[in-house]
Amino acid sequence: MLHPDPAIRQLAEIVVLAMGTRELPYLRWAADEAPAPLSTRIEELMEEVRGGRRVGPGDLGDADCEPYLTSDDPVIAMMAAQVLSLRALSLGTGLSGVTAEHTARALTTGHALHLERAPAWSR
């Protein structure tokens, strides 16, 4: 099922596009594990990535992610942190204060979760 919150769906799509072709094995695993219509949407995004679509400044401007940095769901928090980091890099603004702290925490937690789950798609 697609997430009911359109902002979270937007975060997820930006992150998938940012992964690029390097993470296609992970995306293949995610599509295989996801229920429809989420699986279908992941497949569509994979085709866009294979076709050359990349994250651009227009993708990063409208995502209101800061409220999601402290989500109880570590995946949502990590996606918000990734998008904020991409935006800061793209704009050359960096992150500071509480936003930087929450972003660092979400990325650290997300990285640990990724390492824990990586064997599932690394076979």
Side-chain angles (χ1 to χ4, degrees), residues 53-83:
R53 181 157 180 224
R54 301 294 177 257
V55 172
D59 296 310
L60 301 170
D62 295 334
D64 182 24
C65 353
E66 285 190 48
Y68 298 103
L69 285 173
T70 55
S71 171
D72 290 336
D73 183 330
V75 174
I76 291 172
M78 178 182 60
M79 289 188 308
Q82 290 171 318
V83 171

PDB file of all heavy atoms in Angstrom, residues 53-83:
ATOM      1  N   ARG A  53      16.532   9.302 -15.395  1.00  0.00           N
ATOM      2  CA  ARG A  53      16.001  10.342 -14.498  1.00  0.00           C
ATOM      3  C   ARG A  53      16.832  10.409 -13.222  1.00  0.00           C
ATOM      4  O   ARG A  53      17.205   9.399 -12.647  1.00  0.00           O
ATOM      5  CB  ARG A  53      14.545  10.063 -14.140  1.00  0.00           C
ATOM      6  CG  ARG A  53      14.016  11.162 -13.224  1.00  0.00           C
ATOM      7  CD  ARG A  53      12.545  11.315 -13.252  1.00  0.00           C
ATOM      8  NE  ARG A  53      12.185  12.387 -12.333  1.00  0.00           N
ATOM      9  CZ  ARG A  53      11.192  12.340 -11.485  1.00  0.00           C
ATOM     10  NH1 ARG A  53      10.401  11.278 -11.473  1.00  0.00           N
ATOM     11  NH2 ARG A  53      10.938  13.347 -10.678  1.00  0.00           N
ATOM     12  N   ARG A  54      17.143  11.614 -12.832  1.00  0.00           N
ATOM     13  CA  ARG A  54      17.905  11.868 -11.605  1.00  0.00           C
ATOM     14  C   ARG A  54      17.179  12.928 -10.791  1.00  0.00           C
ATOM     15  O   ARG A  54      16.329  13.650 -11.313  1.00  0.00           O
ATOM     16  CB  ARG A  54      19.324  12.352 -11.929  1.00  0.00           C
ATOM     17  CG  ARG A  54      20.150  11.390 -12.751  1.00  0.00           C
ATOM     18  CD  ARG A  54      20.461  10.101 -11.976  1.00  0.00           C
ATOM     19  NE  ARG A  54      21.190   9.145 -12.769  1.00  0.00           N
ATOM     20  CZ  ARG A  54      20.663   8.068 -13.337  1.00  0.00           C
ATOM     21  NH1 ARG A  54      19.381   7.822 -13.239  1.00  0.00           N
ATOM     22  NH2 ARG A  54      21.399   7.225 -14.013  1.00  0.00           N
ATOM     23  N   VAL A  55      17.549  13.049  -9.540  1.00  0.00           N
ATOM     24  CA  VAL A  55      16.977  14.090  -8.689  1.00  0.00           C
ATOM     25  C   VAL A  55      17.536  15.428  -9.149  1.00  0.00           C
ATOM     26  O   VAL A  55      18.742  15.583  -9.343  1.00  0.00           O
ATOM     27  CB  VAL A  55      17.341  13.855  -7.212  1.00  0.00           C
ATOM     28  CG1 VAL A  55      16.914  15.027  -6.357  1.00  0.00           C
ATOM     29  CG2 VAL A  55      16.691  12.587  -6.706  1.00  0.00           C
ATOM     30  N   GLY A  56      16.643  16.383  -9.334  1.00  0.00           N
ATOM     31  CA  GLY A  56      17.065  17.729  -9.704  1.00  0.00           C
ATOM     32  C   GLY A  56      16.582  18.731  -8.682  1.00  0.00           C
ATOM     33  O   GLY A  56      15.810  18.395  -7.777  1.00  0.00           O
ATOM     34  N   PRO A  57      17.013  19.969  -8.809  1.00  0.00           N
ATOM     35  CA  PRO A  57      16.601  21.001  -7.855  1.00  0.00           C
ATOM     36  C   PRO A  57      15.084  21.126  -7.722  1.00  0.00           C
ATOM     37  O   PRO A  57      14.572  21.383  -6.636  1.00  0.00           O
ATOM     38  CB  PRO A  57      17.206  22.281  -8.435  1.00  0.00           C
ATOM     39  CG  PRO A  57      18.355  21.815  -9.259  1.00  0.00           C
ATOM     40  CD  PRO A  57      17.945  20.470  -9.805  1.00  0.00           C
ATOM     41  N   GLY A  58      14.366  20.912  -8.792  1.00  0.00           N
ATOM     42  CA  GLY A  58      12.912  20.988  -8.738  1.00  0.00           C
ATOM     43  C   GLY A  58      12.285  19.922  -7.852  1.00  0.00           C
ATOM     44  O   GLY A  58      11.209  20.118  -7.289  1.00  0.00           O
ATOM     45  N   ASP A  59      12.965  18.796  -7.712  1.00  0.00           N
ATOM     46  CA  ASP A  59      12.466  17.724  -6.844  1.00  0.00           C
ATOM     47  C   ASP A  59      12.656  18.060  -5.368  1.00  0.00           C
ATOM     48  O   ASP A  59      11.942  17.554  -4.515  1.00  0.00           O
ATOM     49  CB  ASP A  59      13.203  16.409  -7.128  1.00  0.00           C
ATOM     50  CG  ASP A  59      12.958  15.903  -8.530  1.00  0.00           C
ATOM     51  OD1 ASP A  59      11.785  15.826  -8.937  1.00  0.00           O
ATOM     52  OD2 ASP A  59      13.949  15.589  -9.221  1.00  0.00           O
ATOM     53  N   LEU A  60      13.636  18.888  -5.081  1.00  0.00           N
ATOM     54  CA  LEU A  60      14.018  19.133  -3.689  1.00  0.00           C
ATOM     55  C   LEU A  60      13.380  20.361  -3.073  1.00  0.00           C
ATOM     56  O   LEU A  60      13.377  20.517  -1.853  1.00  0.00           O
ATOM     57  CB  LEU A  60      15.541  19.267  -3.597  1.00  0.00           C
ATOM     58  CG  LEU A  60      16.321  18.049  -4.071  1.00  0.00           C
ATOM     59  CD1 LEU A  60      17.800  18.373  -4.161  1.00  0.00           C
ATOM     60  CD2 LEU A  60      16.070  16.867  -3.158  1.00  0.00           C
ATOM     61  N   GLY A  61      12.818  21.225  -3.887  1.00  0.00           N
ATOM     62  CA  GLY A  61      12.326  22.498  -3.379  1.00  0.00           C
ATOM     63  C   GLY A  61      11.061  22.449  -2.552  1.00  0.00           C
ATOM     64  O   GLY A  61      10.899  23.225  -1.619  1.00  0.00           O
ATOM     65  N   ASP A  62      10.159  21.532  -2.854  1.00  0.00           N
ATOM     66  CA  ASP A  62       8.850  21.551  -2.207  1.00  0.00           C
ATOM     67  C   ASP A  62       8.691  20.554  -1.061  1.00  0.00           C
ATOM     68  O   ASP A  62       7.670  20.546  -0.398  1.00  0.00           O
ATOM     69  CB  ASP A  62       7.752  21.275  -3.232  1.00  0.00           C
ATOM     70  CG  ASP A  62       7.661  22.376  -4.269  1.00  0.00           C
ATOM     71  OD1 ASP A  62       8.049  23.511  -3.963  1.00  0.00           O
ATOM     72  OD2 ASP A  62       7.227  22.091  -5.391  1.00  0.00           O
ATOM     73  N   ALA A  63       9.668  19.720  -0.846  1.00  0.00           N
ATOM     74  CA  ALA A  63       9.531  18.694   0.195  1.00  0.00           C
ATOM     75  C   ALA A  63       9.663  19.329   1.582  1.00  0.00           C
ATOM     76  O   ALA A  63      10.709  19.837   1.942  1.00  0.00           O
ATOM     77  CB  ALA A  63      10.593  17.613   0.004  1.00  0.00           C
ATOM     78  N   ASP A  64       8.576  19.313   2.336  1.00  0.00           N
ATOM     79  CA  ASP A  64       8.573  19.843   3.695  1.00  0.00           C
ATOM     80  C   ASP A  64       8.913  18.689   4.632  1.00  0.00           C
ATOM     81  O   ASP A  64       8.036  17.992   5.123  1.00  0.00           O
ATOM     82  CB  ASP A  64       7.198  20.433   4.018  1.00  0.00           C
ATOM     83  CG  ASP A  64       7.152  21.037   5.411  1.00  0.00           C
ATOM     84  OD1 ASP A  64       8.205  21.412   5.941  1.00  0.00           O
ATOM     85  OD2 ASP A  64       6.042  21.120   5.968  1.00  0.00           O
ATOM     86  N   CYS A  65      10.207  18.465   4.860  1.00  0.00           N
ATOM     87  CA  CYS A  65      10.629  17.258   5.558  1.00  0.00           C
ATOM     88  C   CYS A  65      10.963  17.415   7.029  1.00  0.00           C
ATOM     89  O   CYS A  65      11.008  16.427   7.724  1.00  0.00           O
ATOM     90  CB  CYS A  65      11.859  16.653   4.914  1.00  0.00           C
ATOM     91  SG  CYS A  65      12.464  17.296   3.430  1.00  0.00           S
ATOM     92  N   GLU A  66      11.233  18.612   7.487  1.00  0.00           N
ATOM     93  CA  GLU A  66      11.696  18.773   8.868  1.00  0.00           C
ATOM     94  C   GLU A  66      10.782  18.123   9.896  1.00  0.00           C
ATOM     95  O   GLU A  66      11.270  17.500  10.834  1.00  0.00           O
ATOM     96  CB  GLU A  66      11.935  20.242   9.188  1.00  0.00           C
ATOM     97  CG  GLU A  66      13.211  20.736   8.545  1.00  0.00           C
ATOM     98  CD  GLU A  66      13.619  22.116   9.016  1.00  0.00           C
ATOM     99  OE1 GLU A  66      13.627  22.341  10.234  1.00  0.00           O
ATOM    100  OE2 GLU A  66      13.925  22.937   8.148  1.00  0.00           O
ATOM    101  N   PRO A  67       9.460  18.218   9.766  1.00  0.00           N
ATOM    102  CA  PRO A  67       8.606  17.575  10.767  1.00  0.00           C
ATOM    103  C   PRO A  67       8.797  16.053  10.848  1.00  0.00           C
ATOM    104  O   PRO A  67       8.506  15.446  11.870  1.00  0.00           O
ATOM    105  CB  PRO A  67       7.183  17.906  10.317  1.00  0.00           C
ATOM    106  CG  PRO A  67       7.319  19.095   9.437  1.00  0.00           C
ATOM    107  CD  PRO A  67       8.671  18.983   8.800  1.00  0.00           C
ATOM    108  N   TYR A  68       9.291  15.445   9.779  1.00  0.00           N
ATOM    109  CA  TYR A  68       9.443  13.990   9.741  1.00  0.00           C
ATOM    110  C   TYR A  68      10.772  13.507  10.315  1.00  0.00           C
ATOM    111  O   TYR A  68      10.960  12.304  10.498  1.00  0.00           O
ATOM    112  CB  TYR A  68       9.264  13.482   8.308  1.00  0.00           C
ATOM    113  CG  TYR A  68       7.897  13.778   7.779  1.00  0.00           C
ATOM    114  CD1 TYR A  68       7.690  14.823   6.888  1.00  0.00           C
ATOM    115  CD2 TYR A  68       6.801  13.042   8.201  1.00  0.00           C
ATOM    116  CE1 TYR A  68       6.411  15.115   6.422  1.00  0.00           C
ATOM    117  CE2 TYR A  68       5.525  13.339   7.735  1.00  0.00           C
ATOM    118  CZ  TYR A  68       5.344  14.370   6.853  1.00  0.00           C
ATOM    119  OH  TYR A  68       4.081  14.663   6.400  1.00  0.00           O
ATOM    120  N   LEU A  69      11.686  14.419  10.607  1.00  0.00           N
ATOM    121  CA  LEU A  69      12.990  14.027  11.162  1.00  0.00           C
ATOM    122  C   LEU A  69      12.877  13.302  12.493  1.00  0.00           C
ATOM    123  O   LEU A  69      13.746  12.515  12.852  1.00  0.00           O
ATOM    124  CB  LEU A  69      13.890  15.256  11.347  1.00  0.00           C
ATOM    125  CG  LEU A  69      14.499  15.853  10.095  1.00  0.00           C
ATOM    126  CD1 LEU A  69      15.206  17.153  10.433  1.00  0.00           C
ATOM    127  CD2 LEU A  69      15.444  14.870   9.428  1.00  0.00           C
ATOM    128  N   THR A  70      11.827  13.587  13.218  1.00  0.00           N
ATOM    129  CA  THR A  70      11.644  12.969  14.532  1.00  0.00           C
ATOM    130  C   THR A  70      10.510  11.940  14.529  1.00  0.00           C
ATOM    131  O   THR A  70       9.961  11.613  15.583  1.00  0.00           O
ATOM    132  CB  THR A  70      11.380  14.055  15.602  1.00  0.00           C
ATOM    133  OG1 THR A  70      10.266  14.845  15.186  1.00  0.00           O
ATOM    134  CG2 THR A  70      12.599  14.943  15.791  1.00  0.00           C
ATOM    135  N   SER A  71      10.204  11.408  13.364  1.00  0.00           N
ATOM    136  CA  SER A  71       9.168  10.387  13.243  1.00  0.00           C
ATOM    137  C   SER A  71       9.535   9.166  14.086  1.00  0.00           C
ATOM    138  O   SER A  71      10.715   8.815  14.225  1.00  0.00           O
ATOM    139  CB  SER A  71       9.028   9.961  11.776  1.00  0.00           C
ATOM    140  OG  SER A  71       8.180   8.834  11.668  1.00  0.00           O
ATOM    141  N   ASP A  72       8.522   8.505  14.614  1.00  0.00           N
ATOM    142  CA  ASP A  72       8.738   7.251  15.335  1.00  0.00           C
ATOM    143  C   ASP A  72       9.191   6.139  14.388  1.00  0.00           C
ATOM    144  O   ASP A  72       9.728   5.138  14.832  1.00  0.00           O
ATOM    145  CB  ASP A  72       7.460   6.820  16.060  1.00  0.00           C
ATOM    146  CG  ASP A  72       7.135   7.718  17.231  1.00  0.00           C
ATOM    147  OD1 ASP A  72       8.057   8.366  17.776  1.00  0.00           O
ATOM    148  OD2 ASP A  72       5.944   7.778  17.609  1.00  0.00           O
ATOM    149  N   ASP A  73       8.941   6.317  13.111  1.00  0.00           N
ATOM    150  CA  ASP A  73       9.360   5.339  12.103  1.00  0.00           C
ATOM    151  C   ASP A  73      10.748   5.736  11.613  1.00  0.00           C
ATOM    152  O   ASP A  73      10.908   6.773  10.954  1.00  0.00           O
ATOM    153  CB  ASP A  73       8.359   5.332  10.950  1.00  0.00           C
ATOM    154  CG  ASP A  73       8.675   4.288   9.894  1.00  0.00           C
ATOM    155  OD1 ASP A  73       9.865   3.951   9.694  1.00  0.00           O
ATOM    156  OD2 ASP A  73       7.721   3.817   9.252  1.00  0.00           O
ATOM    157  N   PRO A  74      11.770   4.938  11.921  1.00  0.00           N
ATOM    158  CA  PRO A  74      13.135   5.323  11.544  1.00  0.00           C
ATOM    159  C   PRO A  74      13.349   5.447  10.038  1.00  0.00           C
ATOM    160  O   PRO A  74      14.210   6.203   9.600  1.00  0.00           O
ATOM    161  CB  PRO A  74      14.015   4.226  12.146  1.00  0.00           C
ATOM    162  CG  PRO A  74      13.099   3.067  12.351  1.00  0.00           C
ATOM    163  CD  PRO A  74      11.728   3.642  12.595  1.00  0.00           C
ATOM    164  N   VAL A  75      12.579   4.740   9.242  1.00  0.00           N
ATOM    165  CA  VAL A  75      12.713   4.839   7.789  1.00  0.00           C
ATOM    166  C   VAL A  75      12.213   6.203   7.313  1.00  0.00           C
ATOM    167  O   VAL A  75      12.838   6.848   6.472  1.00  0.00           O
ATOM    168  CB  VAL A  75      11.982   3.677   7.077  1.00  0.00           C
ATOM    169  CG1 VAL A  75      11.998   3.867   5.575  1.00  0.00           C
ATOM    170  CG2 VAL A  75      12.617   2.342   7.448  1.00  0.00           C
ATOM    171  N   ILE A  76      11.104   6.654   7.860  1.00  0.00           N
ATOM    172  CA  ILE A  76      10.580   7.969   7.487  1.00  0.00           C
ATOM    173  C   ILE A  76      11.553   9.059   7.928  1.00  0.00           C
ATOM    174  O   ILE A  76      11.848   9.980   7.163  1.00  0.00           O
ATOM    175  CB  ILE A  76       9.168   8.179   8.077  1.00  0.00           C
ATOM    176  CG1 ILE A  76       8.180   7.247   7.375  1.00  0.00           C
ATOM    177  CG2 ILE A  76       8.738   9.649   7.949  1.00  0.00           C
ATOM    178  CD1 ILE A  76       6.802   7.211   7.998  1.00  0.00           C
ATOM    179  N   ALA A  77      12.076   8.950   9.143  1.00  0.00           N
ATOM    180  CA  ALA A  77      13.041   9.940   9.629  1.00  0.00           C
ATOM    181  C   ALA A  77      14.285   9.955   8.747  1.00  0.00           C
ATOM    182  O   ALA A  77      14.803  11.025   8.401  1.00  0.00           O
ATOM    183  CB  ALA A  77      13.411   9.647  11.081  1.00  0.00           C
ATOM    184  N   MET A  78      14.755   8.774   8.353  1.00  0.00           N
ATOM    185  CA  MET A  78      15.941   8.689   7.502  1.00  0.00           C
ATOM    186  C   MET A  78      15.678   9.310   6.128  1.00  0.00           C
ATOM    187  O   MET A  78      16.519  10.044   5.601  1.00  0.00           O
ATOM    188  CB  MET A  78      16.385   7.239   7.328  1.00  0.00           C
ATOM    189  CG  MET A  78      17.578   7.067   6.406  1.00  0.00           C
ATOM    190  SD  MET A  78      18.070   5.351   6.152  1.00  0.00           S
ATOM    191  CE  MET A  78      16.601   4.648   5.450  1.00  0.00           C
ATOM    192  N   MET A  79      14.513   9.049   5.551  1.00  0.00           N
ATOM    193  CA  MET A  79      14.198   9.638   4.247  1.00  0.00           C
ATOM    194  C   MET A  79      14.171  11.160   4.341  1.00  0.00           C
ATOM    195  O   MET A  79      14.698  11.845   3.461  1.00  0.00           O
ATOM    196  CB  MET A  79      12.865   9.108   3.718  1.00  0.00           C
ATOM    197  CG  MET A  79      12.910   7.668   3.293  1.00  0.00           C
ATOM    198  SD  MET A  79      11.400   7.082   2.456  1.00  0.00           S
ATOM    199  CE  MET A  79      10.093   7.540   3.582  1.00  0.00           C
ATOM    200  N   ALA A  80      13.574  11.689   5.398  1.00  0.00           N
ATOM    201  CA  ALA A  80      13.539  13.144   5.584  1.00  0.00           C
ATOM    202  C   ALA A  80      14.952  13.694   5.697  1.00  0.00           C
ATOM    203  O   ALA A  80      15.286  14.720   5.089  1.00  0.00           O
ATOM    204  CB  ALA A  80      12.721  13.501   6.818  1.00  0.00           C
ATOM    205  N   ALA A  81      15.798  13.010   6.451  1.00  0.00           N
ATOM    206  CA  ALA A  81      17.184  13.448   6.613  1.00  0.00           C
ATOM    207  C   ALA A  81      17.939  13.400   5.294  1.00  0.00           C
ATOM    208  O   ALA A  81      18.726  14.304   4.979  1.00  0.00           O
ATOM    209  CB  ALA A  81      17.881  12.584   7.668  1.00  0.00           C
ATOM    210  N   GLN A  82      17.704  12.365   4.511  1.00  0.00           N
ATOM    211  CA  GLN A  82      18.373  12.255   3.217  1.00  0.00           C
ATOM    212  C   GLN A  82      17.959  13.391   2.293  1.00  0.00           C
ATOM    213  O   GLN A  82      18.801  13.985   1.618  1.00  0.00           O
ATOM    214  CB  GLN A  82      18.076  10.893   2.579  1.00  0.00           C
ATOM    215  CG  GLN A  82      18.753   9.745   3.286  1.00  0.00           C
ATOM    216  CD  GLN A  82      18.273   8.400   2.777  1.00  0.00           C
ATOM    217  OE1 GLN A  82      17.086   8.187   2.547  1.00  0.00           O
ATOM    218  NE2 GLN A  82      19.208   7.468   2.634  1.00  0.00           N
ATOM    219  N   VAL A  83      16.669  13.694   2.258  1.00  0.00           N
ATOM    220  CA  VAL A  83      16.190  14.763   1.380  1.00  0.00           C
ATOM    221  C   VAL A  83      16.724  16.113   1.856  1.00  0.00           C
ATOM    222  O   VAL A  83      17.166  16.929   1.042  1.00  0.00           O
ATOM    223  CB  VAL A  83      14.651  14.746   1.273  1.00  0.00           C
ATOM    224  CG1 VAL A  83      14.135  15.980   0.544  1.00  0.00           C
ATOM    225  CG2 VAL A  83      14.198  13.476   0.551  1.00  0.00           C
TER     226      VAL A  83
END
